């Protein structure tokens, strides 16, 4: 193998290759730039030619596997040194535009070429992912580029253990990899390993602290900067920039001012100084993430200002450094009166943000949860994503399984994310559908809207757990998330295949089959045994695990199902309900408005119907509830059986007996809990609706 080129990340690739050849044999040479490219099975090289740097057409988003394109890639390459010093772009174009690489195979030898060191890193991981397959097959030339430059993970990690939320808010994988006992960890080796694994999936930005910024965490912005710089240094060799969540009240709580009014010049000065200090220590720092006027976090409302006022003031402070402000659209009234039927939480983000379209600065990204409520197993795509054409918007997903089984249940979310990314605002059968051959998302799909704009963000599911993610299979979610940010058109089950073959290399076919049996439709399975037909919640208040049908029904959180003896669901129609359905462009507004055309899986999100209402599937709502809840548990029983059948096949070439035993133990324990919990869900939901409706199950199964 041979590597040629300069740039900090070329060093990273060289170290990887050196370690690989030391472990597995083969030779490795590091070539001087300017030297000829050696004759080797694998050559990884930064493009060099006599013409010097040339601006070239940046590859199209999602450009992938084109065999007829020999164009040399040369976009805007912004070198970052080992210390994070950001150089001048070598060529015109957006900083970071060029993460692309070209892969060619000629008679079994592979050459990876990239204009920038980041591209070389991704090309290297691409070859690793392909394994032997990279070197076999017909000659080819492929160009690969990420669909979006913004591929981010947010951590909801607290520095100090929070009395209610713990070390990691909604974390189900042990403690934080960054913080322990009130301080940034001295040993960041776990963070280094994390950076490497994230880079291998395509992630290039990470926010390292909870969006709920408490007093201790606020100080990451000031006293702790040297420690944040250490974390940034751990991520840097892997092409990942670090961001911080900040408190809008910081000028008061940290700066001693008597206001945080975004239009007060002293406040703006304070933020400018704060930003200057951050970038002085971390020259490639990414920017700030802000949860403002949401669930008790401070924000501009206190001063009669709006979200654009707040975000733009911060944007101005970070702009001289090329920084970004991720401003979250998760804003709603969490102190609503359940008696007030006119307030609909689903409307809130749209009501707050859509009118502000066009007012946000260029370096503000409005970060929008995928659905209008809160990371439920099933929600319609948020209409906010389509409502702000003059604003940079990012899609926010949740890899941590807050409402989807908390990493106790095996729930592979890749399919949910694919469905959201593919959702086309111009309609189900529109001409704008993604062209699967070119893998370019339709510009009117969620992926097509966010890719050239604010990109994709998700809440991480990682902690200091020995399997990283609590449930070992939850690693598949982290993997698929990263890969989907790079290529939103990737097939979700195909990504599972990748994850399985990389995680269990050489695993026997029965193990691979068992993993597919468990994971392929695990999202739909979870949906079957939990809240039905898009109605959402029905979880235990506070920790959000396990069934509690009325747990949130009379609370201030705005998450109601309105079940009574006659029917269930939320009337969000324009005709008789909250009007939410009308926030979608046509044809969706009409599709959702009408009982005849509303998709079954979202029926109770949009409509209040009698239990005897007949779904498009031909079943009544009540019978659907019974059937899906019995089926859901039956499927989990199949998961358990599938796993038990392969327990003896786990250890082998790639896994020691010890590792196999630990894996088997953890997965078996989690599957047992999933089974117990699914039964609990089934029985509570079925019993609740049987008691409400008085309508028996057609099949006479046990309901209590
Ligand atoms: O889903 C809710 C969670 C909160 C979280 C909030 C948010 C960080 O229950 O724990 O707070 O969303 O997204 O801000």
């Amino acid at each position: 193998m041979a590597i040629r080129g300069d740039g900090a990340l070329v060093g990273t690739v060289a170290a990887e290759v050196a370690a690989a050849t030391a472990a597995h044999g083969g030779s490795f040479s590091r070539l001087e730039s300017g030297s000829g490219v050696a004759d080797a099975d694998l050559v990884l090289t930064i493009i060099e030619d006599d013409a010097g740097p040339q601006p070239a057409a940046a590859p199209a988003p999602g450009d992938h596997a084109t065999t007829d394109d020999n164009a040399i890639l040369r976009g805007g390459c912004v070198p970052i040194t080992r210390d994070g010093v950001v150089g001048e772009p070598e060529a015109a174009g957006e900083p970071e535009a060029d993460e692309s690489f070209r892969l060619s195979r000629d008679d079994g030898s592979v050459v990876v070429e990239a204009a920038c060191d980041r591209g070389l890193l991704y090309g290297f991981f691409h070859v690793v992912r392909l394994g032997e397959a990279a070197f076999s097959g017909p000659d080819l030339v492929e160009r690969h580029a990420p669909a979006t430059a913004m591929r981010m993970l947010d951590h909801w990690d607290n520095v100090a253990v929070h009395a209610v939320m713990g070390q990691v808010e909604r974390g189900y994988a042990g403690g934080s990899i960054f913080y322990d006992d009130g301080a940034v960890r001295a040993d960041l080796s776990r963070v280094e390993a994390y950076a490497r694994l994230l880079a291998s999936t395509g992630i290039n930005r990470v926010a390292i602290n909870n969006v709920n910024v408490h007093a201790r965490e606020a100080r990451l912005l000031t006293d702790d900067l040297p420690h944040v710089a250490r974390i940034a240094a751990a991520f840097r060799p892997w092409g990942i920039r670090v961001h911080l969540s900040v408190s809008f009240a910081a000028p008061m709580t940290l700066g001693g001012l008597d206001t945080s009014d975004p239009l007060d010049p002293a406040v703006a000065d304070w933020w400018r100084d704060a930003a200057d200090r951050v970038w002085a220590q971390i020259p490639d720092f990414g920017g700030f993430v802000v949860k403002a006027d949401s669930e008790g976090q401070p924000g501009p409302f206190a001063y009669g200002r709006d979200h654009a006022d707040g975000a733009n003031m911060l944007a101005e402070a970070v702009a001289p450094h090329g920084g970004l402000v991720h401003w979250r659209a998760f804003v709603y009234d969490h102190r609503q009166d359940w008696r007030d039927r006119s307030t609909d939480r689903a409307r809130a983000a749209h009501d707050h943000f859509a009118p502000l379209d066009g007012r946000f600065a260029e370096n503000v990204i409005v970060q929008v949860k995928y659905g209008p409520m809160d990371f439920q197993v099933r929600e319609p795509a948020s209409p906010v994503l389509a409502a702000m054409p003059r604003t940079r918007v990012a899609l926010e997903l949740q890899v941590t399984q807050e409402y989807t089984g908390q990493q106790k249940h095996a729930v592979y979310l890749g399919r949910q994310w694919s469905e959201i990314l593919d959702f086309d605002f111009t309609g189900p059968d529109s001409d704008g559908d993604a062209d699967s051959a070119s893998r370019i998302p339709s510009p009117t799909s969620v992926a097509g809207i966010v890719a050239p704009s604010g990109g994709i963000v998700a809440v991480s599911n990682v902690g200091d757990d020995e399997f990283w993610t609590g449930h070992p299979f939850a690693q598949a979610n982290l993997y698929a998330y990263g890969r989907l940010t790079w290529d939103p058109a990737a097939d979700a089950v195909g990504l599972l295949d990748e994850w399985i073959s990389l995680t269990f290399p050489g695993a026997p076919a029965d193990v691979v089959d068992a993993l597919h049996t468990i994971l392929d439709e695990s999202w739909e399975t979870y949906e079957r045994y939990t809240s039905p037909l898009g109605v959402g919640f029905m979880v235990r208040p506070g920790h959000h695990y396990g069934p509690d049908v009325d747990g949130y029904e009379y609370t201030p959180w705005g998450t109601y199902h309105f079940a009574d003896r006659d029917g269930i669901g939320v009337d969000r129609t324009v005709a008789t309900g909250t009007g939410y359905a009308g926030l979608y462009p046509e044809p969706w507004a009409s599709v959702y408005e009408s009982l005849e055309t509303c998709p079954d899986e979202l029926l109770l999100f949009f409509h209040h119907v009698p239990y005897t209402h007949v779904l498009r599937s031909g079943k009544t709502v009540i019978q659907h509830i019974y059937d899906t809840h019995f089926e859901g548990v039956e499927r989990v029983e199949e998961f358990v059986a599938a796993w038990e059948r392969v327990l003896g096949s786990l250890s082998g070439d790639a896994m020691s007996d010890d590792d196999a035993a630990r894996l088997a133990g953890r997965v078996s324990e989690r599957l047992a809990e999933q089974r117990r919990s699914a039964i609990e869900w089934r029985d509570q939901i079925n019993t609740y609706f049987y008691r409400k409706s008085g309508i028996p199950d057609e099949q006479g199964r046990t309901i209590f």
Side-chain angles (χ1 to χ4, degrees):
M1 295 191 228
I3 296 184
R4 185 184 69 177
D6 303 321
L9 274 57
V10 178
T12 303
V13 177
E16 285 288 306
V17 173
T21 46
H24 304 291
S27 67
F28 156 61
S29 46
R30 180 93 198 253
L31 306 172
E32 297 291 313
S33 22
S35 67
V37 172
D39 190 19
D41 293 334
L42 174 63
V43 175
L44 298 142
T45 179
I46 296 289
I47 290 163
E48 292 173 352
D49 63 21
D50 296 341
Q54 295 162 5
D63 200 355
H64 179 84
T66 43
T67 48
D68 58 351
D69 191 340
N70 277 325
I72 299 282
L73 306 172
R74 212 178 264 287
C77 188
V78 186
I80 296 174
T81 68
R82 279 257 172 231
D83 304 325
V85 176
V86 185
E88 287 301 311
E90 283 174 11
E94 278 244 304
E96 286 198 305
D98 205 343
E99 297 176 297
S100 64
F101 61 91
R102 190 173 65 174
L103 177 134
S104 46
R105 181 169 59 227
D106 183 2
D107 207 13
S109 297
V110 172
V111 178
V112 174
E113 293 163 284
C116 300
D117 53 352
R118 280 185 296 276
L120 207 68
L121 180 72
Y122 294 126
F124 165 72
F125 280 126
H126 184 79
V127 172
V128 171
R129 201 158 42 235
L130 292 175
E132 274 184 38
F135 302 91
S136 52
D139 291 357
L140 54 75
V141 179
E142 292 179 346
R143 207 167 59 157
H144 293 259
T148 176
M150 304 294 305
R151 308 183 301 278
M152 183 156 169
L153 273 169
D154 282 0
H155 279 259
W156 287 354
D157 296 26
N158 298 315
V159 181
V161 176
H162 185 266
V164 180
M165 292 299 169
Q167 185 81 70
V168 181
E169 181 153 348
R170 312 306 179 188
Y172 312 105
S176 165
I177 61 172
F178 303 114
Y179 319 108
D180 184 31
D181 203 17
V184 176
R185 287 177 183 272
D187 175 6
L188 293 178
S189 49
R190 183 92 167 173
V191 177
E192 286 163 19
Y194 182 55
R196 177 170 178 256
L197 77 85
L198 289 190
S200 77
T201 72
I203 297 297
N204 65 0
R205 293 175 184 266
V206 170
I208 60 170
N209 65 304
N210 189 0
V211 290
N212 290 331
V213 184
H214 312 291
R216 175 64 190 85
E217 289 71 33
R219 285 173 22 225
L220 287 169
L221 182 62
T222 50
D223 313 345
D224 285 307
L225 270 182
H227 297 293
V228 177
R230 284 198 297 120
I231 293 175
F235 279 109
R236 185 170 301 119
W238 303 96
I240 297 171
R241 291 186 168 197
V242 159
H243 297 237
L244 276 181
S245 295
V246 297
S247 163
F248 200 77
M252 298 160 80
T253 56
L254 298 174
L257 303 190
D258 59 5
T259 178
S260 297
D261 182 349
L263 300 192
D264 186 312
V267 170
D269 283 349
W270 188 87
W271 279 110
R272 208 170 301 117
D273 290 347
D276 290 349
R277 283 194 306 268
V278 177
W279 266 275
Q281 295 213 31
I282 310 167
D284 59 344
F285 184 73
F288 297 146
V289 180
V290 191
K291 170 174 176 177
D293 288 315
S294 167
E295 299 186 330
Q297 293 298 304
F301 285 175
Y303 309 99
R305 316 298 183 197
D306 63 27
H307 288 282
D309 296 327
N312 290 344
M313 179 273 296
L314 289 176
E316 218 177 295
V318 302
H321 309 284
L324 293 169
V325 173
H326 282 85
W327 191 273
R328 296 179 81 231
F330 182 60
V331 177
Y332 68 101
D333 180 3
H334 71 293
R335 298 211 177 91
Q336 91 176 63
D337 186 337
W338 59 270
R339 301 165 194 84
D340 163 20
R341 297 292 297 260
S342 66
T343 303
D344 178 7
R345 173 166 164 182
R347 291 193 59 114
H350 192 283
D351 289 347
H352 283 294
F353 283 87
L356 302 178
D357 186 33
R359 283 202 35 222
F360 289 97
E362 235 177 86
N363 57 334
V364 172
I365 291 175
V366 173
Q367 184 170 318
V368 184
K369 287 191 183 185
Y370 63 82
M373 296 297 280
D374 198 359
F375 299 136
Q376 299 302 289
V377 67
R378 179 75 70 171
E379 292 186 43
S382 170
V384 180
L385 293 163
M388 306 188 71
R390 292 177 296 153
T391 306
R392 288 179 75 180
V393 287
L395 172 70
E396 184 177 320
L397 301 170
Q398 199 182 39
V399 185
T400 193
Q401 291 171 236
E402 175 177 4
Y403 294 99
T404 49
Q406 305 201 345
Q407 281 138 252
K408 295 187 173 107
H409 299 220
V411 178
Y412 173 59
L413 293 167
R415 289 162 64 105
Q416 183 196 39
W417 301 331
S418 286
E419 200 169 289
I420 294 157
L421 288 161
D422 284 351
F423 179 82
D424 199 312
F425 282 97
T426 57
D429 300 306
S430 77
D431 295 340
D433 269 357
D435 168 356
S436 55
S438 70
R439 312 178 75 95
I440 298 175
S442 147
T444 50
S445 69
V446 169
I449 290 169
V450 299
S453 178
I456 309 177
V457 184
V459 187
S460 179
N461 66 348
V462 152
D464 69 356
D465 168 57
E466 70 167 312
F467 293 98
W468 288 90
T469 52
H471 201 311
F473 296 169
Q475 293 174 9
N477 286 327
L478 186 66
Y479 180 82
Y481 170 69
R483 298 280 293 123
L484 284 169
T485 66
W486 180 281
D487 179 9
D491 173 60
V493 174
L495 293 177
L496 252 186
D497 270 330
E498 284 183 13
W499 175 76
I500 292 170
S501 65
L502 293 164
T503 309
F504 307 99
D510 61 338
V511 173
V512 176
D513 286 351
L515 291 167
H516 276 295
T517 301
I518 295 168
L519 292 173
D520 283 7
E521 287 181 22
S522 50
W523 167 50
E524 292 88 340
T525 298
Y526 185 82
E527 180 181 30
R528 276 187 168 75
Y529 61 77
T530 57
S531 69
L533 297 165
V535 78
F537 286 88
M538 300 190 169
V539 289
R540 293 263 157 83
H543 58 63
H544 300 164
Y545 186 76
D548 188 345
V549 181
D550 282 338
Y552 275 107
E553 203 55 16
Y554 306 102
T555 68
W557 297 93
T559 55
Y560 315 122
H561 56 69
F562 299 116
D564 59 20
R565 66 177 184 177
D566 300 316
I568 177 178
V570 192
D571 184 354
R572 295 197 160 104
T573 63
V574 176
T576 53
T578 68
Y580 170 83
L583 302 181
Y584 288 85
E586 289 296 354
W588 288 112
S590 301
V591 167
Y592 291 145
E593 177 82 10
S594 151
L595 263 181
E596 276 68 53
T597 52
C598 183
D600 281 352
E601 69 273 13
L602 290 170
L603 185 78
L604 303 182
F605 191 92
F606 285 100
H607 297 274
H608 185 88
V609 296
Y611 294 113
T612 50
H613 172 81
V614 179
L615 294 166
R616 286 150 65 87
S617 70
K619 281 187 188 176
T620 61
V621 165
I622 190 74
Q623 194 57 41
H624 172 96
I625 291 176
Y626 297 149
D627 287 351
T628 49
H629 284 77
F630 284 112
E631 276 162 32
V633 171
E634 283 158 22
R635 289 189 179 203
V636 175
E637 310 270 12
E638 285 164 23
F639 296 179
V640 174
W643 183 244
E644 280 171 0
R645 277 197 300 276
V646 297
L647 284 178
S649 323
L650 291 174
S651 60
D653 292 350
M655 213 188 294
S656 68
D657 289 355
D658 241 28
D659 285 349
R662 282 187 303 128
L663 174 74
R666 180 69 74 87
V667 173
S668 299
E669 162 235 311
R670 302 268 148 153
L671 282 171
E673 167 56 17
Q674 182 170 10
R675 183 173 173 278
R676 185 208 63 76
S677 175
I679 290 171
E680 189 63 25
W681 271 99
R682 175 195 69 193
D683 291 342
Q684 284 207 25
I685 298 271
N686 284 347
T687 301
Y688 179 96
F689 287 106
Y690 173 61
R691 289 182 185 172
K692 279 263 149 139
S693 69
I695 302 173
D697 171 33
E698 280 169 3
Q699 296 188 42
R701 289 164 291 195
T702 306
I703 295 177
F704 298 89

